[in-house]
Amino acid sequence: MRCIGPHPINVLMNIEQQFADLHDLWSPRVIGRVNDQYVKIAKLKGEFTWHKHDDEDEMFLVVKGRLRIQFEDGDVELGSGDFHIVPKGVRHNPVADEECWIMLIETVTTKHTGDVVSPLTRTIEQQLGQ
Amino acid sequence: MRCIGPHPINVLMNIEQQFADLHDLWSPRVIGRVNDQYVKIAKLKGEFTWHKHDDEDEMFLVVKGRLRIQFEDGDVELGSGDFHIVPKGVRHNPVADEECWIMLIETVTTKHTGDVVSPLTRTIEQQLGQ
């Protein structure tokens, strides 16, 4: 495995292998950093929590399963290979009726549950595996 | 199709459908923007050109096929589902022996061929389909 660059997490990685090592639901794992953005993966099942990120967009790419992102003006339904970028400041709530695997792109400052704290909230240290 | 947020390109999209509409090789297409990063797709075949981006990391995720990224100190070989983040300032040269489909995450200011200009160079306007 080749490890280069300023970010020690940036080795050559395989998405499927990363998911195989991730067992907890709603617990994003940072798997890379590109500029000021973290690349994360997460496994979801059930309902998350309504929240927003005042200053950061958030990209959701569904790798496996289906994800519904609830917005105040309607839902977006994503299947495998679909992606959607939630703009900053927009309240949303991810819901997965069955287990769903996603890749996320988020600014490094993004808080997991944004403007709220819930029992599901994970710190960035937890997401970095520290 | 739902179109929301400050970036009109950010609709719900499917990666496979975007690739189906992309025909030119080495001609990235912007398919989304998350914060200060563009999400792009590209089809590659053959050799690109040696270059670097002084101020920007660049993430390569292989969606289909195989990609070799040549570095001055060795190559990185990527198959489907593999990703690698090329750190800013590092000279590299993507090579695909067979057609390869990739997703890219790059800062909006990133120039296609970095510090060089080649016949393959595409402007950001071309990548935005303008």
Side-chain angles (χ1 to χ4, degrees):
Chain A
M1 189 168 280
R2 191 168 184 278
C3 183
I4 55 177
H7 313 303
I9 48 176
N10 283 349
V11 293
L12 171 62
M13 283 190 174
N14 182 273
I15 293 274
E16 288 289 329
Q17 286 176 359
Q18 292 299 309
F19 277 111
D21 291 337
L22 179 64
H23 303 291
D24 294 338
L25 296 172
W26 301 109
S27 190
R29 175 184 293 174
V30 175
I31 59 169
R33 176 178 173 157
V34 53
N35 302 300
D36 59 346
Q37 307 293 302
Y38 279 138
V39 182
K40 303 178 182 181
I41 57 168
K43 292 182 176 177
L44 317 179
K45 187 176 179 183
E47 179 171 341
F48 192 47
T49 188
W50 280 94
H51 68 286
K52 64 183 167 72
H53 309 280
D54 283 333
D55 301 313
E56 301 112 345
D57 306 329
E58 194 174 23
M59 174 172 163
F60 291 78
L61 168 65
V62 172
V63 175
K64 186 170 149 181
R66 297 192 63 80
L67 175 67
R68 184 165 71 254
I69 306 179
Q70 297 179 322
F71 293 93
E72 289 178 339
D73 62 349
D75 296 355
V76 171
E77 297 273 348
L78 292 88
S80 179
D82 289 340
F83 69 95
H84 191 64
I85 297 164
V86 177
K88 60 185 178 184
V90 174
R91 272 171 47 85
H92 59 286
N93 183 29
V95 179
D97 294 330
E98 303 295 332
E99 186 169 309
C100 172
W101 297 4
I102 61 168
M103 190 176 86
L104 293 159
I105 308 284
E106 302 181 334
T107 308
V108 294
T109 50
T110 303
K111 291 180 181 173
H112 188 209
T113 49
D115 59 329
V116 302
V117 174
S118 93
L120 292 173
T121 303
R122 296 289 176 272
T123 66
I124 192 60
E125 289 76 18
Q126 289 173 310
Q127 297 176 57
L128 282 162
Q130 294 171 349
Chain B
M1 189 169 279
R2 192 167 184 278
C3 183
I4 54 176
H7 313 304
I9 49 176
N10 283 349
V11 292
L12 171 62
M13 283 189 175
N14 182 273
I15 293 275
E16 289 289 328
Q17 286 176 357
Q18 291 299 309
F19 277 112
D21 290 337
L22 180 63
H23 304 291
D24 294 338
L25 296 172
W26 301 110
S27 191
R29 175 184 294 175
V30 175
I31 59 169
R33 176 177 174 157
V34 53
N35 302 299
D36 59 346
Q37 307 292 303
Y38 279 139
V39 182
K40 303 178 182 181
I41 57 168
K43 291 182 175 177
L44 317 180
K45 187 177 180 182
E47 180 171 342
F48 192 47
T49 189
W50 281 94
H51 67 285
K52 63 183 167 72
H53 309 280
D54 283 333
D55 301 313
E56 300 113 346
D57 306 329
E58 194 175 22
M59 173 172 165
F60 291 78
L61 169 64
V62 173
V63 175
K64 185 170 152 182
R66 296 193 63 81
L67 175 66
R68 185 164 72 255
I69 307 178
Q70 297 179 322
F71 293 94
E72 290 177 339
D73 63 348
D75 296 355
V76 170
E77 297 272 349
L78 293 88
S80 179
D82 289 340
F83 69 95
H84 191 65
I85 296 163
V86 177
K88 61 185 178 183
V90 174
R91 272 170 48 85
H92 60 287
N93 183 28
V95 179
D97 294 330
E98 303 295 332
E99 185 169 311
C100 171
W101 297 4
I102 61 169
M103 190 176 86
L104 293 160
I105 308 285
E106 302 181 334
T107 308
V108 295
T109 50
T110 303
K111 292 180 181 173
H112 188 207
T113 50
D115 58 331
V116 302
V117 175
S118 92
L120 292 174
T121 303
R122 296 288 177 273
T123 65
I124 192 60
E125 289 77 17
Q126 289 172 312
Q127 297 176 58
L128 282 162
Q130 295 170 348

